Amino acid sequence: MQTDKQKVSVLFMLFGTLFCVCLITANVLETKQISFGPINVTAGLIVFPVSYIINDVVCEVWGYQRTRMLIWMGFAMNFMFVVFGGIADLIPGAPYWHGEEGFHQVFGLAPRIAAASFLAFIAGSFMNAYVMSRMKLTSEGAHFSKRAILSTVFGESVDSVIFFPLALGGVIPWEEMPSLMLSQVTLKTLYEILVLPVTVRVVAFTKKHDHEDVFDHDINYNIFNILKF
């Protein structure tokens, strides 16, 4: 079916909005530490994997080029949130206000952690999209579940390998770093597997609703080719 590639559907807009909300929400939730038995993680684990699920859905339905636009849009919105939050954190609070410490814990993101987070997000998200795109071509569109899981493993691995050493190197003992990264990748992948039945149904509904099922033949995978979608 011939479609207008410059046309943006309502569903794509909804996925884009949800994608940005998940990234910003994850930033806030990262300030709380939680435990799953012996494994300690941040509360961002609750919502951050959803961004990878959306990444999978968008790449499966609309292809890599639309996903590239989505990733950069999410990056821009998240960057704005961090910048404005940082500015608000620097402005002295009113004399009668006593929430300075709590506000700083949420919005006073250290530059080192912020830079590591942004770099890891870009690298991990594009790795996830690239693996989804290439595997769809080689499998001729079959085995979506397998592609979704493997792309998450690759994407989350790249994210963790970049984020933890850059953000927490020297803070967390280096010998603890591999197990921490492995636990993050494992838990996020399990998250993907648990919600996979929902993801499969969302993909099927979206393809049927928008009459889209893009295969990325002969496209430019350059992540900076933003205007091409």
Side-chain angles (χ1 to χ4, degrees), residues 60-203:
E60 174 69 15
V61 178
W62 292 285
Y64 177 87
Q65 295 182 130
R66 288 283 177 90
T67 309
R68 175 172 53 203
M69 182 179 68
L70 180 76
I71 293 170
W72 281 116
M73 180 176 67
F75 176 88
M77 298 301 102
N78 203 18
F79 183 78
M80 286 179 61
F81 172 80
V82 170
V83 168
F84 286 124
I87 292 173
D89 184 53
L90 291 174
I91 300 173
Y96 57 82
W97 187 62
H98 304 292
E100 192 75 46
E101 182 178 351
F103 190 90
H104 178 72
Q105 288 180 344
V106 175
F107 295 100
L109 197 62
R112 176 185 177 185
I113 294 177
S117 177
F118 285 132
L119 183 59
F121 163 72
I122 287 294
S125 296
F126 276 112
M127 175 58 72
N128 184 86
Y130 177 79
V131 172
M132 275 291 293
S133 173
R134 298 305 301 173
M135 287 188 69
K136 183 174 182 179
L137 288 176
T138 57
S139 67
E140 298 182 345
H143 312 303
F144 169 76
S145 296
K146 178 181 177 180
R147 291 186 277 115
I149 294 170
L150 287 178
S151 65
T152 296
V153 171
F154 277 97
E156 293 290 3
S157 296
V158 169
D159 186 290
S160 295
V161 166
I162 292 174
F163 176 77
F164 286 102
L166 290 181
L168 302 175
V171 177
I172 294 176
W174 287 104
E175 59 269 21
E176 297 293 329
M177 200 70 73
S179 62
L180 182 61
M181 290 189 289
L182 180 60
S183 66
Q184 288 282 323
V185 174
T186 301
L187 287 174
K188 290 176 179 179
T189 303
L190 287 175
Y191 192 130
E192 169 91 36
I193 294 171
L194 286 174
V195 301
L196 193 55
V198 177
T199 307
V200 170
R201 285 166 173 77
V202 170
V203 166

